[in-house]
Amino acid sequence: MTKPRLSKAVFWTTIAFLFLPLVVLMVFSFNEGRTMVWKGFSFRWYESLFLHQPRLWAAVSNTLIVAFTSSILATVIGTLGAIAIHWYRFKAKAYVQAMSFLPLILPEIIIGVSLLIFFRMIGMPLSLWTIVIAHTSFTMPFVLLMVTARLGEFDNSIIEAARDLGARESQTLFRVILPIAVPGIFAGFLTAFTLSLEDFVVTFFVTGSGSDTLPIFIYNQIKRKLPPEINAFSVVLIGVTVFLLFFARRSIKYFVQRK
Amino acid sequence: MSGNTDSRVGTTYSLPLTLWISLFFVVPMAIVFLYSFLTRDVGGGVRWEFNLDAYAAIFKQTSSGQFIYLDILWYTLWMAVAATVLTILVALPCAYYIARTKNNTLLLFLVIIPFWVNFMIRIYAWVAILGQSGILNEGLMALGLIKEPVQFLFNDYAVLLVLVYTNLPFAILPLFTTIEKFDFGLLEAARDLGATHMGSLRKVMLPNIQGGIITAVLFTFIPIFGTFAVPDVMGDSNTYMLGQLITSKLKMTGDYPGASSLSVLILILTAGGLILYTAFQRKQEKDKMVTIAEDAL
């Protein structure tokens, strides 16, 4: 068997390319100077990040409010929808399946444009709420997809068994269906949450004044001159993400082992 | 196995989803479709006069015979093709290498980790590298290679670089999943029969992983039609991509019918891509059936 030497070289070059921006941010977050010229090691931007950047923290808080609210909404509605699609008959099934698949493939800008025009038409002022609605709309299909994939591993017999044993509909839902769907629900929630944190395009259209999320805040700053605190902030963000993912993996393992 | 039971319960469970999707996806899309046939009004509104003006505007020419929108569309298409080709060319060997490595979880993680950092921060990092007072210019000047800072930003190459950067994982992952399923024994067989290494990759592996390549192409190609932030931050302010055009119509000039007709255009292009995709998959299945039938004979 030939050793994939060329592909190995391409792979590690690509990894270097992918990590380059992160390394640059990390190194220059400790720079004494304001610019990309190394002036000596310092924590001054970390200090100033926590003391002198209230608008950045306001954007962080907006981002978290939107991400939590929209991903919880998307998870609840998406999970119920997935259960209905997988196990039950209902009238609009084909319509719901088709229409909830579309947002997965359409360029995001279409969702942003259509919701902005819609909100303007019904006279709804742009605020955090319009962002929550928009995020719920484009993340819900992902929850639906992931919960459906999980439910696909089980057939009808477990519901029938629950019924035969005299379970009421609510008991079937809470004691049988939801527990087996947990891994899918969890994956769906995490996906919805990350997509919401990340989103720029859709948010850009439906954000109002004072409701800027983090990507919007950074975008507005890039257009002028970014404060050096952004480097330090990126490093904090990477740290928090790595910690949370580690934590998420642990809890997923916990859920899986308990079963 | 699905769909036996009480449809009342099913309706209850599906009701929130049905309502949400209808109100916040189907209705807004219908409004966009409707608006694309209306007349633009002053002050960012619309007048209820039906016509095809917003679509005709796509083909409008300047007095010097230049197509404004078609040029933007053409430019977007060109950038999308270039970015997709570059992305696939890099992603293919990467996915191949990951698939051929035994403990590949770590390698997959390495591909995904950079994407835990916010999309906007990643774009900003490239500005910090390529900008006039960026690290590249400072480094080159410190080495005495250049005297004056060079403008690496605000051109097509900067846009392509960041488009490839942001799209790579979305191409590597689907390619990896198909290549992983590929039977590498077939490559050895081809080589035993006298094929060169590259020849066996091209003639034996490539046809077998076409599905993954097409998925990767779709994941890269379609989003570029709506992309806005990357060309806006990295690109020349004199050249617009389709996403920027729609944004300026909506946010600056208040031309709702114009933004709507362009959105419908993107919708049609996306639908076209998907139809080609499913047609291709059908053809592949048919080909497979034919091969099986021939083998049986």
Side-chain angles (χ1 to χ4, degrees), chain A residues 70-219:
Chain A
S70 67
S71 54
I72 288 172
L73 268 172
T75 306
V76 172
I77 300 175
T79 301
L80 286 177
I83 292 170
I85 286 173
H86 185 66
W87 270 314
Y88 295 91
R89 257 197 315 246
F90 57 96
K91 273 209 186 93
K93 194 165 180 171
Y95 161 80
V96 171
Q97 274 182 306
M99 287 307 150
S100 55
F101 174 70
L102 265 180
L104 289 174
I105 41 166
L106 285 179
E108 272 182 287
I109 199 168
I110 305 281
I111 315 267
V113 168
S114 63
L115 279 172
L116 174 61
I117 292 180
F118 173 71
F119 291 139
R120 283 275 163 78
M121 194 184 183
I122 62 171
M124 186 164 176
L126 301 178
S127 66
L128 272 189
W129 289 111
T130 46
I131 306 180
V132 167
I133 291 175
H135 283 204
T136 310
S137 306
F138 85 85
T139 56
M140 200 183 286
F142 289 90
V143 177
L144 198 63
L145 193 75
M146 288 177 169
V147 178
T148 315
R150 170 67 184 172
L151 295 178
E153 294 167 26
F154 300 89
D155 63 22
N156 227 357
S157 55
I158 57 166
I159 293 202
E160 274 161 16
R163 291 242 177 75
D164 290 347
L165 294 168
R168 272 176 283 117
E169 202 53 60
S170 62
Q171 284 176 317
T172 316
L173 178 66
F174 285 104
R175 297 251 178 109
V176 180
I177 300 176
L178 286 179
I180 62 163
V182 160
I185 296 173
F186 203 69
F189 173 78
L190 277 183
T191 311
F193 191 77
T194 8
L195 285 173
S196 168
L197 285 183
E198 271 286 288
D199 182 74
F200 170 74
V201 178
V202 176
T203 317
F204 181 75
F205 285 100
V206 296
T207 184
S209 62
S211 59
D212 285 356
T213 60
L214 188 66
I216 304 286
F217 173 80
I218 298 173
Y219 170 78

Side-chain angles (χ1 to χ4, degrees), chain A residues 1-2 14 18-19 28 86 88-90 95 105 120 137 156 163 198 204 219 223 226 231 234 245, chain B residues 1-2 4-5 7 20 22 94 100 116 118-119 121 124 135 165 191 197 232 247 251 256 274:
Chain A
M1 206 186 273
T2 48
T14 306
L18 290 178
F19 275 84
F28 281 90
H86 185 66
Y88 295 91
R89 257 197 315 246
F90 57 96
Y95 161 80
I105 41 166
R120 283 275 163 78
S137 306
N156 227 357
R163 291 242 177 75
E198 271 286 288
F204 181 75
Y219 170 78
K223 296 242 107 180
L226 265 169
N231 292 336
S234 318
L245 274 155
Chain B
M1 223 79 57
S2 56
N4 67 329
T5 32
S7 79
W20 193 285
S22 305
C94 289
R100 298 220 71 167
W116 293 346
N118 197 286
F119 167 72
I121 291 184
Y124 155 68
I135 187 168
Y165 184 85
R191 301 211 55 189
H197 180 55
D232 193 52
T247 310
K251 287 236 161 184
Y256 284 19
L274 280 171

Side-chain angles (χ1 to χ4, degrees), chain A residues 1-4 6-8 10-12 14-15 17-22 24-25 28 35-37 73 77-78 80-93 95-96 99-103 105-107 109-121 132-133 136-137 140-141 144 155-156 159-160 163 169 173 177 197-198 200-201 204-207 214-216 218-219 222-223 225-228 230-231 233-234 237-238 241-242 245 249, chain B residues 1-14 16-18 20-29 31-32 34-35 48 89-91 93-98 100 107-129 133-135 138 161-162 164-165 168-169 172 184 188 191 197-198 219 222-223 225-229 232-233 242-244 246-247 250-251 256 259-260 262-264 266-267 270 274:
Chain A
M1 206 186 273
T2 48
K3 285 211 181 80
L6 178 68
S7 59
K8 186 175 183 176
V10 174
F11 177 79
W12 289 108
T14 306
I15 292 296
F17 171 61
L18 290 178
F19 275 84
L20 174 74
L22 310 192
V24 167
L25 290 181
F28 281 90
T35 57
M36 300 308 277
V37 185
L73 268 172
I77 300 175
L80 286 177
I83 292 170
I85 286 173
H86 185 66
W87 270 314
Y88 295 91
R89 257 197 315 246
F90 57 96
K91 273 209 186 93
K93 194 165 180 171
Y95 161 80
V96 171
M99 287 307 150
S100 55
F101 174 70
L102 265 180
I105 41 166
L106 285 179
I109 199 168
I110 305 281
I111 315 267
V113 168
S114 63
L115 279 172
L116 174 61
I117 292 180
F118 173 71
F119 291 139
R120 283 275 163 78
M121 194 184 183
V132 167
I133 291 175
T136 310
S137 306
M140 200 183 286
L144 198 63
D155 63 22
N156 227 357
I159 293 202
E160 274 161 16
R163 291 242 177 75
E169 202 53 60
L173 178 66
I177 300 176
L197 285 183
E198 271 286 288
F200 170 74
V201 178
F204 181 75
F205 285 100
V206 296
T207 184
L214 188 66
I216 304 286
I218 298 173
Y219 170 78
I222 297 182
K223 296 242 107 180
K225 186 108 183 102
L226 265 169
I230 288 287
N231 292 336
F233 178 73
S234 318
L237 202 65
I238 297 170
T241 323
V242 170
L245 274 155
R249 259 189 66 176
Chain B
M1 223 79 57
S2 56
N4 67 329
T5 32
D6 196 348
S7 79
R8 225 179 39 230
V9 183
T11 309
T12 315
Y13 288 166
S14 66
L17 179 69
T18 314
W20 193 285
I21 294 265
S22 305
L23 188 58
F24 296 123
F25 179 68
V26 179
V27 168
M29 292 300 276
I31 294 174
V32 166
L34 180 72
Y35 266 37
W48 287 81
L89 279 182
V90 177
C94 289
Y96 176 76
Y97 178 70
I98 302 174
R100 298 220 71 167
L107 300 188
L108 282 173
F109 257 101
L110 282 179
V111 172
I112 299 166
I113 286 172
F115 290 80
W116 293 346
V117 182
N118 197 286
F119 167 72
M120 261 307 155
I121 291 184
R122 276 179 280 136
I123 295 186
Y124 155 68
W126 281 109
V127 175
I129 293 172
S133 53
I135 187 168
E138 296 293 345
L161 179 93
V162 177
V164 171
Y165 184 85
L168 262 176
I172 293 179
F184 287 104
E188 276 176 69
R191 301 211 55 189
H197 180 55
M198 271 309 184
F219 276 157
I222 291 180
F225 274 92
T227 191
F228 157 70
D232 193 52
V233 174
L242 202 51
Q244 289 169 286
I246 295 181
T247 310
L250 214 53
K251 287 236 161 184
Y256 284 19
S260 301
L262 291 169
S263 301
V264 172
I266 292 188
L267 209 68
T270 313
L274 280 171

